[in-house]
Amino acid sequence: MPEHSYGDPAAVNALRSSVMRLARRLKHQRVDESLSPTEMSVLDTLARCGSATPGELARREHVQPPSMTRIVALLEAKGLVRMEPHPEDRRQKVVTPTEQAESMLEESRRRRNAWLAALVEGLDDEERAALRAAAPVLEKLAHL
């Protein structure tokens, strides 16, 4: 699709750039620096969507199944996930986050929320209102 069909190219470029920059800065506010962004993303997906097979996780994370197998093995070795028998297909396993992973994710969310709240405090009332209005739109874009 041509770029002009999305509206103002400068506005789209500014949105892309600022969202990416903010996301990068948020990634640095994590609890466990030994985990890769992909490992954190897999744990977050499990926390949001529930237990899943490695194949389901690979599709959700847009990685190849062999890569997901390696990621899951690393997370299991770190005690962050456990492999359980699939309830319907004995040939498959289901990946489930451990309490340690859930606790780490909660602390990570707390830290990121506190960091972001501190930034928002630096905005004026009008900017905070604009941010509140934009949040549902950004959420929608994130899930399209």
Side-chain angles (χ1 to χ4, degrees), residues 13-26 138:
N13 187 54
L15 176 64
R16 178 199 48 77
S17 178
S18 59
V19 167
M20 288 179 64
R21 213 176 4 251
L22 185 60
R24 259 194 314 273
R25 291 182 65 198
L26 268 170
L138 291 172

Side-chain angles (χ1 to χ4, degrees), residues 46-65:
L46 288 169
R48 281 185 297 106
C49 301
S51 298
T53 66
E56 292 166 339
L57 283 171
R59 280 188 294 284
R60 288 181 182 152
E61 294 294 315
H62 307 286
V63 299
Q64 295 298 313

Side-chain angles (χ1 to χ4, degrees), residues 78-98:
K78 293 175 182 179
L80 297 172
V81 299
R82 63 182 174 277
M83 301 295 286
E84 299 173 335
H86 192 284
E88 297 157 8
D89 184 349
R90 290 196 166 291
R91 297 169 298 168
Q92 291 197 55
K93 297 283 187 183
V94 174
V95 183
T96 302
T98 63

Side-chain angles (χ1 to χ4, degrees), residues 96-113:
T96 302
T98 63
E99 286 183 23
Q100 179 184 347
E102 291 169 357
S103 175
M104 185 202 56
L105 286 169
E106 180 58 37
E107 176 59 21
S108 184
R109 276 192 288 279
R110 187 203 61 72
R111 183 179 290 184
R112 289 175 183 188
N113 286 348

